[in-house]
Amino acid sequence: GRHLEDDSEPLAQAEAVQIDLGRGLTFRIGGRIDRIDKVGPASFEILDYKTGGFWRKDWAGVFNGGRRLQHALYGLAAVELLRRRYKNPKVVAGVYYFPTRRGRREHLRIKAPGQKAIASVLADLRAVILAGTFVHASSKDACKFCDYSTACDQSLEGRAEQKLEDAKLQ
């Protein structure tokens, strides 16, 4: 990433932010938060701009089965960064904004999940990775923009649906 030599972005840093959620879940997160809006004395919303289209059914739920983590992870990182300027900062929501014509200028606000909920989702994902239990998506649409789709045999969708019955995946 680009290193800022001035104070135009006082919360920016080149190093990843370390997050400790307990339960043996410590990780480092790096990236670029598009915007942090102050909505109260020490309350904030994380805003992320999306350039694609918006389909409301694709945005149901808080984590979308572990596929939507950006607002939660950026919220945790933002709290760590905001502690430089605020005594007890709190991220209250993540907002996804689709400013393009394809996105119809939709706003989607997701209330910030608690640390226990985030830790639970991340613990489940870690367990799946450690067990080597990788299941193909059961829908071609889920793989539409995947960088690794050429490594998968798309005909495995039917087998993926069958694997969803596997008790280890519950």
Side-chain angles (χ1 to χ4, degrees), residues 43-120:
S43 299
F44 302 87
E45 290 183 342
I46 304 303
L47 192 129
D48 190 67
Y49 295 99
K50 297 296 183 193
T51 58
F54 177 79
W55 294 270
R56 188 159 302 282
K57 67 176 179 63
D58 293 341
W59 290 85
V62 175
F63 297 111
N64 193 15
R67 290 182 292 275
R68 185 178 313 110
L69 296 170
Q70 185 177 9
H71 63 286
L73 298 179
Y74 277 15
L76 294 173
V79 166
E80 293 302 316
L81 296 171
L82 288 162
R83 286 185 185 174
R84 297 176 187 166
R85 297 191 159 216
Y86 298 90
K87 186 174 181 177
N88 292 309
K90 181 176 173 86
V91 170
V92 296
V95 178
Y96 292 96
Y97 176 47
F98 298 78
T100 65
R101 194 171 100 181
R102 284 182 50 212
R104 299 183 309 277
R105 296 187 190 128
E106 289 281 352
H107 287 81
L108 181 75
R109 185 176 189 276
I110 301 174
K111 183 179 173 190
Q115 282 196 355
K116 282 185 178 181
I118 298 169
S120 178

Side-chain angles (χ1 to χ4, degrees), residues 100-168:
T100 65
R101 194 171 100 181
R102 284 182 50 212
R104 299 183 309 277
R105 296 187 190 128
E106 289 281 352
H107 287 81
L108 181 75
R109 185 176 189 276
I110 301 174
K111 183 179 173 190
Q115 282 196 355
K116 282 185 178 181
I118 298 169
S120 178
V121 170
L122 292 178
D124 288 347
L125 291 173
R126 178 180 62 181
V128 167
I129 292 167
L130 290 174
T133 311
F134 299 100
V135 179
H136 291 278
S138 60
S139 164
K140 281 187 181 182
D141 289 341
C143 299
K144 192 173 183 179
F145 300 106
C146 179
D147 292 336
Y148 307 101
S149 61
T150 56
C152 295
D153 178 355
Q154 296 301 314
S155 66
L156 295 176
E157 291 172 19
R159 284 187 256 162
E161 286 179 7
Q162 291 173 353
K163 288 182 179 182
L164 292 176
E165 301 299 322
D166 188 332
K168 289 189 289 186

